[in-house]
Amino acid sequence: MDVLAENIPQSLVALGIVMLAIEVAILGFATFLMFFIGLSLVITGSLMWLDILPQTWGSILLANAIVSGLLAIALWKPLRNLQNKSEVKSVKSDFDGVRFFCDTPIDSKGLSTHTYSGITWKLKSETPIPAGAEVEVVKAEVGTFWVKAV
C-alpha cells in the first residue's frame, strides 16, 4: 500500500486507464459514467505528475469531481449522438433479381399476385406496370414482392 501512496499520480493514471479499458472493452461504451471518471482520473493524475495539483486526498477528490462534471457537461451530447447513430442497410434477398411475366396489371396497392416457390406473393410497384410485361423483383418483404418493369 505504501507503493500506491508514494506514487499517487501514476496510480491515478493507471486506474483511469483500467476504467477506460473496462468501459470500452467489456461494457461496449454503453454507459458513460466509467468513461468520464476514468478520463478524469487520467487528467488528474497527469496534473499531479506535472506538479500542477498537490498530491493530497482532498485535491484528488475535488479535482476528480470537477473534471468529471466538466467532461460530462462537455461530452454528453456528442457521445449520446455518436451512440444513437445507426446505419440503415438494405438486406439483399435471394429473391432480388428474379424475373417473370406478370398476368395482371401491377400498381402500389398490391392487388396483383404471383405464385413463386410455392408461395403466393402480392406484387407492388412504384409505377404502374401493364399486364404481360416482364418484371424484376427489386425488394422482397413479408408476403410482398416489389417489382419494376424490365
Side-chain angles (χ1 to χ4, degrees), residues 60-82:
I60 292 171
L61 294 174
L62 184 61
N64 277 312
I66 292 171
V67 173
S68 294
L70 292 175
L71 287 170
I73 290 169
L75 298 177
W76 182 265
K77 193 168 185 175
L79 290 174
R80 177 57 72 190
N81 290 339
L82 179 71

Side-chain angles (χ1 to χ4, degrees), residues 25-80:
I26 296 174
L27 299 177
F29 214 55
T31 65
F32 298 133
L33 183 63
M34 286 185 69
F35 176 75
F36 295 141
I37 294 172
L39 199 55
S40 169
L41 287 170
V42 170
I43 292 170
T44 303
S46 298
L47 291 174
M48 287 185 175
W49 208 337
L50 298 171
D51 289 326
I52 296 172
L53 288 176
Q55 294 183 20
T56 63
W57 288 108
S59 65
I60 292 171
L61 294 174
L62 184 61
N64 277 312
I66 292 171
V67 173
S68 294
L70 292 175
L71 287 170
I73 290 169
L75 298 177
W76 182 265
K77 193 168 185 175
L79 290 174
R80 177 57 72 190

Side-chain angles (χ1 to χ4, degrees), residues 3 16 23 26 58 72 82-83 94 104-105 110 118 130-131 138:
V3 174
E23 173 67 29
I26 296 174
L82 179 71
Q83 195 177 42
D94 290 341
T104 57
V138 292

Side-chain angles (χ1 to χ4, degrees), residues 93 95-96 100 106-114 119-125 137-147:
S93 162
F95 299 114
D96 292 352
F100 57 90
I106 303 170
D107 57 15
S108 61
K109 296 177 185 175
L111 301 176
S112 302
T113 60
H114 176 73
I119 300 170
T120 301
W121 298 85
K122 290 182 182 180
L123 300 177
K124 292 185 178 183
S125 175
V137 176
V138 292
K139 181 171 71 169
E141 294 177 347
V142 178
T144 305
F145 279 157
W146 283 88
V147 296

